[in-house]
Amino acid sequence: MTAEMFDMFYRGTVRRLTRYAFGLTGDQSESQDLVQEAYARAWQHWRRVSAYDDAEAWLRLVVSRLAKDRWRRLLVRRTAAVSAPPMPSVAGPSEETVLLVAAMRQLPFDQRQALVLFHLLDRSLADIAAETRTNVNTVKARLTRGRASLAAVLGTSTATNAGGAHVNGA
């Protein structure tokens, strides 16, 4: 019976409460999040809330407090962002890196995954086999095929990674 009462209450008030939240925030998505949170709290305390003379007013109070908290958090973040020193600029990727990434995208996923795990994350063959749920010989084959495919795509006899290290040999 309690769930049915809550369901009736929800259906009878959700549109008004969402309009109220939208009026406070000016953001449809944010207003829906606030309303959802308010109803979740109402459900948690439904025995008490259902006894109020105006349970919908309690929901509006919850939405108002949640909206104020949201604005406070945004203000704190904005203040911190303004007072923080600017982030140093980061150089774009080198031409070699761009070419390598484009070439890697042309490889089958399994080969690309093996190459990345082995060369960029320095994972052992056994670790890669465990992570990919395969055996060490399969990992070795994927690395060998991946290197050969990468070399073919790049048009070289040996492929290099973005740092210039050779990727031949497991």
Side-chain angles (χ1 to χ4, degrees):
M1 187 65 176
T2 306
E4 290 175 11
M5 288 174 52
F6 183 82
D7 189 47
M8 286 177 32
F9 173 71
Y10 173 82
R11 282 188 264 139
T13 58
V14 68
R15 288 183 185 211
R16 284 190 303 276
L17 192 62
T18 303
R19 281 195 307 267
Y20 176 72
F22 181 73
L24 294 177
T25 65
D27 181 275
Q28 185 67 29
S29 178
E30 183 68 24
S31 64
Q32 290 170 345
D33 289 347
L34 294 176
V35 168
Q36 181 178 11
E37 178 63 26
Y39 279 110
R41 292 180 184 194
W43 175 248
Q44 290 173 339
H45 306 287
W46 182 239
R47 286 192 190 276
R48 186 182 52 171
V49 172
S50 64
Y52 292 157
D53 290 336
D54 190 354
E56 188 175 351
W58 182 87
L59 278 174
R60 286 192 301 273
L61 178 64
V62 171
V63 166
S64 297
R65 288 178 177 166
L66 290 169
K68 284 180 187 177
D69 288 347
R70 173 187 173 266
W71 285 109
R72 283 187 197 117
R73 281 191 307 275
L74 289 174
L75 181 61
V76 167
R77 286 182 194 153
R78 185 174 294 140
T79 302
V82 167
S83 63
M87 296 292 291
S89 60
V90 177
S94 68
E95 183 179 347
E96 287 116 8
T97 300
V98 172
L99 292 172
L100 179 63
V101 169
M104 291 284 286
R105 287 184 179 144
Q106 295 179 43
L107 300 180
F109 177 81
D110 292 340
Q111 292 174 15
R112 185 172 56 229
Q113 182 184 35
L115 288 169
V116 169
L117 288 170
F118 188 79
H119 293 287
L120 298 182
L121 299 183
D122 296 321
R123 305 285 296 183
S124 71
L125 296 175
D127 289 344
I128 297 169
E131 186 170 331
T132 59
R133 294 187 173 117
T134 188
N135 63 53
V136 172
N137 289 331
T138 301
V139 173
K140 288 179 182 179
R142 288 175 180 172
L143 286 169
T144 300
R145 289 182 190 125
R147 290 179 189 122
S149 297
L150 192 57
V153 169
L154 291 171
T156 61
S157 59
T158 57
T160 58
N161 68 14
H166 288 281
V167 292
N168 284 346

